[in-house]
Amino acid sequence: MKIVLSVDSEEKIPMSITAATHLSEMPEAEEVEVVYLNGGIAAVTQRNRIAPLLKNEKVKVVACGTSMEARNITKEELAPGVIYVPASLKEIIKRIQEGYIYLVL
């Protein structure tokens, strides 16, 4: 099972870390991709905040380029290990087409 989880507000960042960790611990979980967009994009520059996700082999942390641009965040500011995508909507649609389960926090 593969899951893509979107996080669109800063208030949901702590919950996203807990949720992604729990999802990744499920035996049937192959991958959990956490896509941070809109206000949630604040997570991707804070390495200490998302460290549990960056250390988890089953979790990928993804930053929305559109949201980064809107908030003047550069690729150089991303925490090491965060994956940049130009647009989160395209990434999510791509994952759904690949059979990922789509969850929204």
Side-chain angles (χ1 to χ4, degrees):
M1 171 173 57
K2 295 182 179 182
I3 302 162
V4 61
L5 175 67
S6 69
V7 184
D8 66 358
S9 74
E10 190 165 0
E11 295 79 28
K12 296 177 184 176
I13 294 170
M15 184 190 307
S16 73
I17 295 165
T18 302
T21 300
H22 287 306
L23 290 168
S24 72
E25 292 169 350
M26 296 172 60
E28 60 269 50
E30 296 172 55
E31 179 179 298
V32 179
E33 182 172 315
V34 185
V35 180
Y36 289 100
L37 61 144
N38 297 329
I41 200 69
V44 300
T45 61
Q46 301 171 8
R47 182 179 184 167
N48 291 339
R49 192 171 195 182
I50 57 172
L53 300 183
L54 296 172
K55 293 177 186 174
N56 189 324
E57 293 179 4
K58 287 188 177 181
V59 177
K60 289 184 180 177
V61 178
V62 176
C64 171
T66 305
S67 297
M68 288 172 57
E69 185 177 322
R71 287 158 182 79
N72 297 314
I73 298 170
T74 65
K75 289 181 189 178
E76 292 74 31
E77 294 175 88
L78 294 176
V82 174
I83 300 164
Y84 169 87
V85 296
S88 59
L89 293 177
K90 289 180 181 179
E91 178 72 8
I92 291 167
I93 290 169
K94 177 181 162 187
R95 294 302 181 213
I96 291 169
Q97 289 175 331
E98 293 172 350
Y100 283 60
I101 297 168
Y102 178 45
L103 301 175
V104 180
L105 283 188

